[in-house]
Amino acid sequence: MNKLFYGDNLTIMKKMSSESVDLIYLDPPFNSNRSYNLLYKNTTGLPIPEQIEAFCDTWELDFEKSELASDIPRIMQEYGINADTVHFWHYMAEALRMTDTKLLAYLVYMTVRVIEMYRLLTKSGSLYLHCDPTASHYLKVILDGIFGAKQIRNEIIWHYKRYTAKSNQFQKLHDVIFWYSKSDEYLFNELREPYGENSGKMDSHYKQDENGQWFRWQKRKGQEPYKIYLSEGRRMGDVWDIPIINASAKERLGYPTQKPIALLERIILASSKEGDVVFDPFCGCGTTIEASIRNNRQWIGCDIAIHSIRLIQDTRIKKYALVEGKDYTIEGIPQSTEQAQYLFEQDPFQFQHWSIEKTGGFCSKRKTGDSGIDGRIYFEAENKLCSMVLSVKGGNIKPADIRDLRGVLEREPDVEMAGFISLHEPTKAMVQEADAAGYYEYQGVKYPRIQLLTINQIFEGKTWYCPSVVKAQRKDGGQTYLNI
Ligand SMILES: C[S@@+](CC[C@H](N)C(=O)[O-])C[C@H]1O[C@@H](n2cnc3c(N)ncnc32)[C@H](O)[C@@H]1O
């Protein structure tokens, strides 16, 4: 059954069976030292200032990653990785500890995941790792260690055209995709491409058949000679010219770093057959999923961002009219308060995103330092865009949290109301504190200025009480927008 997972791929992969996947394509963060944001647009044309972080590609060697860096040699041994690689990792990690801790943090993150991916692949399976020259040389060393240096099949260059800012170096116009096979008995379907202009395709070896078609004889050791027609094109090379998803691309969904379907189709057609299982552990807006659907492959996608999962449901899954439970399953999105609690414990930031979006709100950008405003609900009143600020608390809650919200109401212009989302039931003192904030009145209707919602109540369908709420929608082309 096809599966869509919401969550950290490491946790998810650890639960998956060994040798259960035929092809893995991964397009992880590249260590680009930047964040990728989604900007909202709404139906009114009034500007919405919020921005939501799609994912963050900056790295710190925190305590957890530092410990993991030391533990990787043990993990490698446990997974049967050869002793040379284990030693190499140890010395590389120690050197990077003194020279480049950010890079070490990134490599720790990637290494533990690639080890799992190797375990998941069937014997004839392949892995395609998409990266760019920022860290490709380090990633190749890691892949060589885990798969074996002889298992690299190709280093594919994805060449694209785009406009880059003027600088005193050559324009950067390619990504790198490493293809490794788990064994020598890997599946490969030869792909062909049309001859380019001036490629010298016709030479004296070509003859015309009875229908006037040009062909040449191909001889291979141990095989009968066979005809190759000019119209079949040439064997595909390892430099792929495929247009990037730019502002005017038809398939653009507005997800930063979206890859073209044509790119994924090449990989899928070359390294899998119908019915095979294709896995994308960093599936973003689901390009691999759509390419798999179109080519009758089974698919598994996973992403840590709730808006990525929502976008896949709203676009790819809708487009092919797939039915949840029949055509695919979705796992990891909390369906109960206990599951929401679990999400909070795993990743408080994603818990915040999930709960705000569940109530129709817009999430604030991470690390804004804007005193507890985690998101907003927008509504139209008095011929302008007014807002209700949202604050989310997964852990312990106290009356001071509500007092802080009252402070926000007094301080911020154009903020009429505030909403407080909590996992735990608010105390009497908190309810009193909220009541003391009074009402916002519009067109004769009174709306409590501070409203409290528990996750339980949200599951029961309760939501904010405010004038007509503005819903965001995706804008095709131009900047990056998200439909929620
Ligand atoms: C470069 S994007 C992938 C884009 C994708 N190839 C597409 O065409 O849409 C990387 C994705 O990895 C996700 N991601 C980052 N860390 C993750 C993790 N630990 N587990 C699962 N997904 C993760 C991000 O949320 C982001 O959507």
Side-chain angles (χ1 to χ4, degrees):
M1 173 80 94
N2 304 311
K3 287 193 181 98
L4 189 54
F5 287 104
Y6 166 47
D8 184 343
N9 50 27
L10 185 60
T11 319
I12 287 153
M13 286 192 287
K14 283 191 170 162
K15 293 183 195 153
M16 289 167 67
S17 310
S18 300
E19 303 195 10
S20 58
V21 165
D22 300 291
L23 170 63
I24 298 179
Y25 165 80
L26 65 149
D27 174 20
F30 291 176
N31 191 24
S32 63
N33 199 23
R34 55 174 283 210
S35 291
Y36 294 88
N37 299 320
L38 299 163
L39 303 181
Y40 289 121
K41 166 189 181 267
N42 66 80
T43 42
T44 63
L46 298 167
I48 283 187
E50 300 295 350
Q51 237 184 58
I52 165 174
E53 199 171 86
F55 65 96
C56 174
D57 190 8
T58 55
W59 302 88
E60 293 302 334
L61 190 66
D62 55 18
F63 178 74
E64 200 188 331
K65 287 209 185 68
S66 174
E67 292 285 290
L68 200 50
S70 309
D71 202 28
I72 282 182
R74 187 198 57 76
I75 298 174
M76 284 181 163
Q77 277 167 341
E78 194 183 306
Y79 278 73
I81 292 167
N82 68 68
D84 291 347
T85 304
V86 176
H87 284 128
F88 181 82
W89 171 269
H90 170 75
Y91 290 118
M92 182 177 76
E94 289 317 304
L96 288 176
R97 250 185 226 286
M98 308 207 236
T99 53
D100 193 342
T101 50
K102 283 179 195 251
L103 177 61
L104 178 58
Y106 174 69
L107 295 179
V108 166
Y109 167 92
M110 289 302 295
T111 304
V112 286
R113 285 170 174 78
V114 174
I115 291 174
E116 284 301 329
M117 289 174 209
Y118 181 78
R119 180 183 67 79
L120 296 183
L121 277 180
T122 54
K123 204 167 169 221
S124 58
S126 284
L127 174 138
Y128 285 73
L129 188 153
H130 191 140
C131 55
D132 74 5
T134 319
S136 60
H137 43 316
Y138 288 94
L139 292 169
K140 186 162 185 273
V141 169
I142 285 166
L143 287 163
D144 276 354
I146 296 171
F147 280 76
K150 284 199 303 227
Q151 296 315 123
I152 184 159
R153 308 268 66 108
N154 279 113
E155 174 173 326
I156 296 161
I157 299 302
W158 172 31
H159 169 245
Y160 41 76
K161 293 191 177 69
R162 65 173 173 182
Y163 295 101
T164 58
K166 200 169 163 29
S167 71
N168 59 349
Q169 55 193 23
F170 294 117
Q171 289 194 76
K172 295 180 178 169
L173 296 177
H174 82 276
D175 283 6
V176 178
I177 304 174
F178 293 121
W179 169 26
Y180 281 73
S181 65
K182 186 156 178 178
S183 73
D184 291 340
E185 289 143 48
Y186 60 95
L187 175 82
F188 178 56
N189 305 310
E190 188 178 275
L191 301 184
R192 304 189 75 85
E193 60 188 343
Y195 286 100
E197 291 291 314
N198 312 320
S199 67
K201 59 199 176 191
M202 274 286 275
D203 58 31
S204 56
H205 295 105
Y206 279 91
K207 303 180 176 52
Q208 269 179 307
D209 71 3
E210 56 283 8
N211 301 318
Q213 297 290 321
W214 290 97
F215 75 95
R216 66 177 168 79
W217 287 104
Q218 174 76 40
K219 288 183 194 130
R220 285 230 170 108
K221 223 175 155 186
Q223 282 182 11
E224 286 291 304
Y226 58 94
K227 286 176 183 173
I228 296 217
Y229 279 90
L230 192 60
S231 56
E232 288 173 24
R234 63 175 170 207
R235 285 172 59 215
M236 193 172 281
D238 58 5
V239 178
W240 295 358
D241 268 293
I242 297 177
I244 202 164
I245 305 282
N246 60 18
S248 57
K250 269 203 187 124
E251 62 185 274
R252 179 182 168 92
L253 294 180
Y255 196 80
T257 74
Q258 177 183 355
K259 299 300 177 297
I261 293 203
L263 180 79
L264 267 301
E265 284 201 319
R266 271 194 197 180
I267 293 172
I268 286 174
L269 290 174
S271 287
S272 69
K273 54 185 186 316
E274 285 202 7
D276 275 358
V277 177
V278 179
F279 175 39
D280 186 340
F282 297 87
C283 70
C285 66
T287 314
T288 309
I289 294 178
E290 179 155 359
S292 301
I293 297 171
R294 280 162 60 140
N295 292 286
N296 300 321
R297 271 51 170 184
Q298 299 183 68
W299 51 265
I300 304 174
C302 170
D303 205 285
I304 201 166
I306 187 70
H307 38 271
S308 141
I309 306 295
R310 294 251 163 86
L311 193 56
I312 293 170
Q313 285 185 298
D314 287 353
T315 54
R316 320 275 190 193
I317 285 177
K318 220 177 228 167
K319 183 168 167 190
Y320 294 92
L322 303 186
V323 178
E324 193 181 337
K326 179 172 151 280
D327 301 313
Y328 75 103
T329 57
I330 179 155
E331 290 179 31
I333 297 186
Q335 305 294 341
S336 65
T337 305
E338 291 69 38
Q339 288 174 6
Q341 169 86 42
Y342 179 74
L343 176 62
F344 169 68
E345 284 159 11
Q346 298 297 309
D347 190 336
F349 178 63
Q350 289 301 332
F351 167 76
Q352 195 177 297
H353 268 193
W354 164 79
S355 56
I356 288 174
E357 290 199 352
K358 192 145 176 78
T359 64
F362 299 77
C363 301
S364 302
K365 199 171 171 231
R366 184 156 37 175
K367 295 175 196 139
T368 46
D370 59 357
S371 61
I373 302 176
D374 300 321
R376 285 171 202 250
I377 293 280
Y378 288 92
F379 57 91
E380 280 179 277
E382 299 149 24
N383 291 327
K384 60 177 182 167
L385 202 59
C386 302
S387 73
M388 171 189 222
V389 291
L390 301 178
S391 170
V392 181
K393 290 273 179 307
N396 290 335
I397 49 176
K398 49 193 182 318
D401 296 331
I402 310 297
R403 273 198 294 280
D404 288 348
L405 275 182
R406 286 184 70 176
V408 173
L409 284 179
E410 275 153 31
R411 206 175 57 231
E412 301 266 326
D414 288 337
V415 172
E416 313 299 345
M417 297 191 282
F420 184 77
I421 302 177
S422 62
L423 260 171
H424 301 294
E425 200 68 35
T427 60
K428 232 180 189 170
M430 291 174 75
V431 176
Q432 281 166 356
E433 190 72 48
D435 287 348
Y439 292 92
Y440 164 67
E441 236 181 292
Y442 179 60
Q443 292 184 333
V445 184
K446 282 173 144 186
Y447 303 92
R449 291 251 291 158
I450 294 188
Q451 301 178 22
L452 313 181
L453 275 183
T454 62
I455 295 294
N456 229 353
Q457 288 172 320
I458 295 172
F459 276 122
E460 285 164 6
K462 202 168 167 205
T463 192
W464 309 115
Y465 182 49
C466 50
S468 63
V469 170
V470 172
K471 287 251 185 267
Q473 66 160 197
R474 178 166 53 86
K475 176 178 178 280
D476 284 317
Q479 253 297 5
T480 303
Y481 294 93
L482 175 69
N483 191 10
I484 54 168

